[in-house]
Amino acid sequence: MRMKTRIGACALMSFLLGLLLAPSPVAAQTRSAIVGVVSDGTGAAVPGANLTLESPALVGGAQSATTNERGGYRFSDLPPGTYSLSVSLAGFRGVHRTGLRLQFGTTLTIDAALVVGSAEAVTVEGRSPAVDVTTAQSTTKIDSDLLLGLALTANKRSSVDLLELTPGIKDHAAYGGSRDANELLLDGAPTTVPDRQGANAVVIASNWLEEIQVVSLGGSAEYGEFTGTAANFVVRNGTNDFHGLAEYTLSRDNWVGANTSSLPANLQASFKPLEILSQWDTTVQVGGPIKKDKLFFFAGLQYLKTETIQPGAPLPQLQTWPRYLGKLNWAASPTVKAEATITYSNSSITGGGAPGSTGDTSNDSLQPNTIWASRVTWTPSAKSLFEFRTGGLAYTQDITPAEPRSKDGPAPRRDVVTGISSANSVQYRLQEGNRLSFGASLTHRFEGASGRGHAVKIGLDRERSTFLEDSGFPGGMSFVDRAGVPDTVTLWAGNTIEPTANRTTLYLQDDWNASRKLTIQAGVRASLNRGETPTTGVIFKTNPLSPRIGFAWDVGADHKTVVRSHFGLFHEALATTLFQFMDTATQTPRITARVLGPNNFQELNRVTPATNFGLDPDIRQSYVRQFVIGAERQIG
């Protein structure tokens, strides 16, 4: 449920400060964890038990822990993968759990019961709970098994369309929010173009994804800049095992059927399918250890080629699209780990054109973009985790008239009698967007004698976005003809805008174990948003405050059922589209004129941007108010 009303945060802040004064455990939900309690045959806690966690995905090798005086244990900051857990103590028969499937951003609760004896350890296979009973956040996970099993066309491989596998998301719009109100990430790095016009750079092959984590309902304070959804496309890691995949797909025109043979000839022509001249896609990927337990790699290469003829288009359209990806995971020491991801793609489109136009209206489109993300963690103690991260996006879309035409001319024409466009492309456009983000956080667990406690996470994010758009009519004019005779013309020398957006965010999140079954999560997110243009200086200022509170109740002893509730405010991202139109110094007037003869025009209307635009100085950041309640139960 979403309500566009505002509330005061004083009561929540007082409650949050009260929580911070109390002592305890629970890790932040950004990364994965395995937690639980070891008991004996009577249900009493077993302190001092030894635990070993193993997985081919664990950079740094197997991890060890010892249960505390209440029998509790915790393994934090774990990568996605399949794990095995061994529990042992002198005088007891050990337990060995295998097949524990851990997804990104999930905490699994795995309890173990030891019985007196010295026989071989009991092995339990494939009985891992799949429900996170420690969080009020209702997150959808689209995992690699599903992604690999999907029959995806070349045009939809790892596009944002995959988000539609999530209930409540359709046509990129999530839970009633607009399609431009989402924050899309790749390994935590931003991929949405700064002006937020729906364009994004998540274009890697779906084979390269470990999963897609969709956070929409009940997001904690560390998640922000969206009123629709935040989706993190998580790239596969290398492991201690070498693995790879090669794939080739293609389509041929004679494989495409038509069901219009019973229609009249004129209707058959109207419903003529796309003609495929060539369409194929090849993907190669490999991952494994560079140094066992210390340094892993994953790399991928994809190349797509599509040449088609759209019914009515003047020319065939050719698209080529190479994509590259590399990722490293490194255990620099037992307490310091690092990872880095970089991906590059470059879509090139030539030919084509709209139905009802001549071949000289076609464009050449070039769209290179690069995304990078890095993360370093330091665990000075079992109760503290420092995280440092950075990420960025460099995006370009250059749409220009195909040679021999250019931005300089000739001017495009459209005949309102025949409906035919000719002479040149309608408009040229260059967009360049860059986003650079830095962040740091500290998570610390405060434990009390009662066994209850808190995990407090405090973080600071800083992001700077720049955007450039240069657009106009080729030759500075666009004609409207009547039966081949020039009638009116729009004179426009084009616009150039260069806005800059800066965001600084501080967030505080507390996860409180109120009891063994109940987790209460409270947090607040505060941002300083500033937007500026070369014309105006800093013109856009908002200071959104987003309080959040929720709870999770672990209903059963098997940790497979949870009841959740959450309430919070979610503010939209700082997008340059909110203020970039105020950069009027390099925007030129649009003049509509009657054509009296060659280069002889009579002005009819003029729009001058400098006198036509304005921005409310008291503008406030858009937000939604969200309340969620529900239950989750693992079946099967």
Side-chain angles (χ1 to χ4, degrees):
M1 178 173 63
R2 295 172 177 264
M3 300 173 287
K4 294 187 176 179
T5 58
R6 295 186 176 273
I7 63 168
C10 296
L12 178 60
M13 288 298 295
S14 299
F15 177 64
L16 178 60
L17 291 173
L19 291 182
L20 292 177
L21 297 177
S24 176
V26 176
Q29 295 300 310
T30 304
R31 296 286 160 152
S32 305
I34 295 178
V35 303
V37 173
V38 178
S39 59
D40 62 17
T42 67
V46 177
N50 300 309
L51 299 101
T52 302
L53 186 69
E54 298 177 284
S55 172
L58 263 179
V59 63
Q63 295 187 13
S64 300
T66 303
T67 57
N68 59 25
E69 63 273 17
R70 296 172 299 279
Y73 74 90
R74 173 178 303 278
F75 294 98
S76 300
D77 198 42
L78 301 174
T82 302
Y83 288 79
S84 62
L85 177 66
S86 299
V87 186
S88 63
L89 183 65
F92 290 86
R93 189 177 183 186
V95 175
H96 184 61
R97 297 285 301 269
T98 63
L100 302 177
R101 178 71 178 273
L102 183 63
Q103 293 182 306
F104 184 89
T106 300
T107 295
L108 291 185
T109 303
I110 308 294
D111 294 337
L114 302 179
V115 296
V116 176
S118 57
E120 184 179 349
V122 176
T123 299
V124 181
E125 298 181 1
R127 297 183 62 186
S128 169
V131 177
D132 186 345
V133 296
T134 69
T135 178
Q137 188 170 291
S138 181
T139 303
T140 299
K141 309 291 180 64
I142 305 171
D143 64 21
S144 57
D145 290 343
L146 177 57
L147 292 171
L148 286 173
L150 291 173
L152 299 175
T153 66
N155 291 332
K156 287 192 174 182
R157 294 178 61 83
S158 188
S159 72
V160 72
D161 295 334
L162 291 172
L163 294 180
E164 296 190 12
L165 297 170
T166 304
I169 298 180
K170 175 63 177 174
D171 294 332
H172 309 178
Y175 303 97
S178 75
R179 57 184 294 155
D180 298 332
N182 304 321
E183 183 66 285
L184 305 181
L185 309 167
L186 181 73
D187 270 358
T191 70
T192 308
V193 179
D195 76 329
R196 305 286 286 199
Q197 294 299 310
N200 69 87
V202 184
V203 292
I204 68 170
S206 58
N207 296 343
W208 301 346
L209 295 175
E210 180 65 34
E211 67 179 59
I212 304 173
Q213 180 194 38
V214 185
V215 179
S216 299
L217 306 177
S220 64
E222 60 186 306
Y223 294 99
E225 319 319 310
F226 68 94
T227 55
T229 188
N232 189 17
F233 291 71
V234 182
V235 177
R236 290 175 178 269
N237 296 329
T239 70
N240 265 328
D241 301 325
F242 281 102
H243 53 86
L245 176 68
E247 184 179 52
Y248 178 80
T249 63
L250 77 159
S251 298
R252 298 186 182 278
D253 192 62
N254 58 4
W255 295 351
V256 180
N259 60 354
T260 60
S261 57
S262 61
L263 297 177
N266 62 326
L267 291 180
Q268 289 188 41
S270 299
F271 292 101
K272 183 179 178 181
L274 186 75
E275 182 179 352
I276 300 174
L277 302 180
S278 176
Q279 182 168 298
W280 54 270
D281 170 17
T282 185
T283 307
V284 178
Q285 66 193 61
V286 62
I290 297 175
K291 185 175 183 181
K292 188 174 181 180
D293 291 338
K294 293 293 184 181
L295 183 61
F296 300 158
F297 80 96
F298 180 83
L301 165 66
Q302 182 180 22
Y303 192 89
L304 297 88
K305 180 181 177 182
T306 302
E307 187 172 11
T308 58
I309 299 178
Q310 181 181 358
L315 297 171
Q317 183 179 85
L318 172 65
Q319 180 181 27
T320 58
W321 199 342
R323 305 171 181 176
Y324 311 92
L325 178 137
K327 185 173 184 179
L328 293 174
N329 296 81
W330 178 36
S333 73
T335 60
V336 177
K337 297 179 182 178
E339 66 178 52
T341 305
I342 186 168
T343 177
Y344 173 80
S345 73
N346 190 357
S347 170
S348 174
I349 300 176
T350 59
S357 61
T358 60
D360 50 13
T361 63
S362 64
N363 293 311
D364 289 341
S365 175
L366 195 64
Q367 188 170 310
N369 61 70
T370 303
I371 307 169
W372 66 94
S374 63
R375 175 178 183 262
V376 177
T377 59
W378 174 42
T379 51
S381 71
K383 296 181 180 180
S384 298
L385 172 69
F386 286 92
E387 180 181 7
F388 309 91
R389 59 189 178 279
T390 183
L393 163 68
Y395 172 93
T396 299
Q397 184 183 63
D398 190 7
I399 301 175
T400 59
E403 294 183 350
R405 297 161 307 283
S406 70
K407 297 178 182 179
D408 297 327
R413 318 184 76 90
R414 185 174 188 279
D415 196 305
V416 295
V417 176
T418 64
I420 295 176
S421 297
S422 63
N424 206 337
S425 60
V426 175
Q427 188 173 322
Y428 66 83
R429 185 181 69 181
L430 170 66
Q431 289 187 336
E432 293 181 346
N434 292 275
R435 294 179 68 180
L436 180 61
S437 62
F438 298 90
S441 64
L442 167 63
T443 304
H444 187 77
R445 297 198 307 274
F446 299 89
E447 296 185 4
S450 65
R452 310 295 169 238
H454 299 260
V456 177
K457 182 171 187 177
I458 183 169
L460 179 68
D461 288 337
R462 170 72 175 170
E463 181 178 311
R464 179 178 175 84
S465 300
T466 60
F467 184 68
L468 179 145
E469 182 175 270
D470 179 38
S471 58
F473 294 147
M477 298 182 289
S478 179
F479 286 92
V480 174
D481 297 348
R482 290 186 179 274
V485 178
D487 182 52
T488 60
V489 64
T490 300
L491 307 174
W492 179 41
N495 290 344
T496 300
I497 56 172
E498 296 185 75
T500 299
N502 290 284
R503 174 180 62 86
T504 303
T505 298
L506 178 68
Y507 59 88
L508 186 63
Q509 179 70 32
D510 176 48
D511 293 354
W512 174 28
N513 292 126
S515 71
R516 185 175 175 182
K517 293 289 188 179
L518 179 64
T519 301
I520 297 177
Q521 297 180 308
V524 65
R525 183 180 182 89
S527 296
L528 299 177
N529 294 330
R530 299 294 182 264
E532 61 182 285
T533 74
T535 303
T536 63
V538 176
I539 190 173
F540 185 91
K541 297 180 180 181
T542 61
N543 305 303
L545 185 69
S546 307
R548 318 268 174 89
I549 188 166
F551 75 83
W553 176 36
D554 182 6
V555 176
D558 58 0
H559 309 301
K560 295 183 179 181
T561 305
V562 63
V563 175
R564 299 189 178 102
S565 183
H566 187 273
F567 170 82
L569 264 65
F570 294 80
H571 287 84
E572 283 192 0
L574 174 60
T576 62
T577 191
L578 299 172
F579 57 89
Q580 64 192 30
F581 55 88
M582 293 299 296
D583 188 11
T584 57
T586 48
Q587 297 187 48
T588 60
R590 288 191 183 222
I591 302 170
T592 303
R594 180 77 61 192
V595 179
L596 303 180
N599 295 318
N600 186 9
F601 311 129
Q602 178 186 15
E603 183 173 326
L604 301 175
N605 182 52
R606 177 186 294 254
V607 176
T608 303
T611 61
N612 197 50
F613 297 155
L615 183 66
D616 186 345
D618 297 322
I619 195 169
R620 306 178 81 172
Q621 201 75 20
S622 299
Y623 72 96
V624 297
R625 198 176 184 189
Q626 183 191 91
F627 176 74
V628 179
I629 188 168
E632 183 177 355
R633 168 67 183 175
Q634 178 176 335
I635 300 174

